[in-house]
């Protein structure tokens, strides 16, 4: 019975953990075009740069879009 409970808990965690990770939004800037956008995954390549203050992670897209309006490099162009 213990093995079934552990297996069931492991399966539940496997499905729930990625859902929590999806609640991350970042403000990034394309260094060539100087255009800022909101993305739902932290960039791992060099085509964009996170420009959120101190690498801020926003919980919603709307929060990130509002934050983007206050970031100087996003509003100066």
């Amino acid at each position: 019975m213990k093995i079934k409970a552990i297996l069931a808990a492991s399966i539940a965690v496997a499905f729930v953990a990625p859902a929590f990770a999806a609640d991350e939004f970042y403000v990034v800037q394309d260094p060539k075009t100087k255009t800022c956008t909101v993305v739902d995954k932290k960039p791992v390549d060099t085509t964009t740069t996170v420009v959120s203050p101190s690498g801020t992670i926003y919980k919603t897209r709307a929060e990130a879009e509002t934050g983007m309006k206050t970031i100087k490099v996003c509003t100066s162009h």
Side-chain angles (χ1 to χ4, degrees):
M1 187 68 177
K2 276 188 175 181
I3 293 174
K4 287 183 181 180
I6 292 172
L7 182 60
S10 298
I11 292 171
V13 168
F15 285 105
V16 172
F20 287 118
D23 291 354
E24 295 182 351
F25 294 90
Y26 300 85
V27 177
V28 298
Q29 183 183 48
D30 181 322
K32 293 179 183 176
T33 64
K34 305 296 185 201
T35 303
C36 293
T37 56
V38 174
V39 296
D40 61 356
K41 293 181 180 139
K42 187 170 185 176
V44 292
D45 56 16
T46 58
T47 59
T48 58
T49 304
V50 175
V51 292
S52 308
S54 301
T56 302
I57 300 170
Y58 298 98
K59 299 288 183 200
T60 66
R61 181 172 292 279
E63 187 179 296
E65 289 170 352
T66 300
M68 184 169 60
K69 295 174 186 174
T70 66
I71 300 172
K72 188 172 184 167
V73 297
C74 295
T75 59
S76 62
H77 296 100

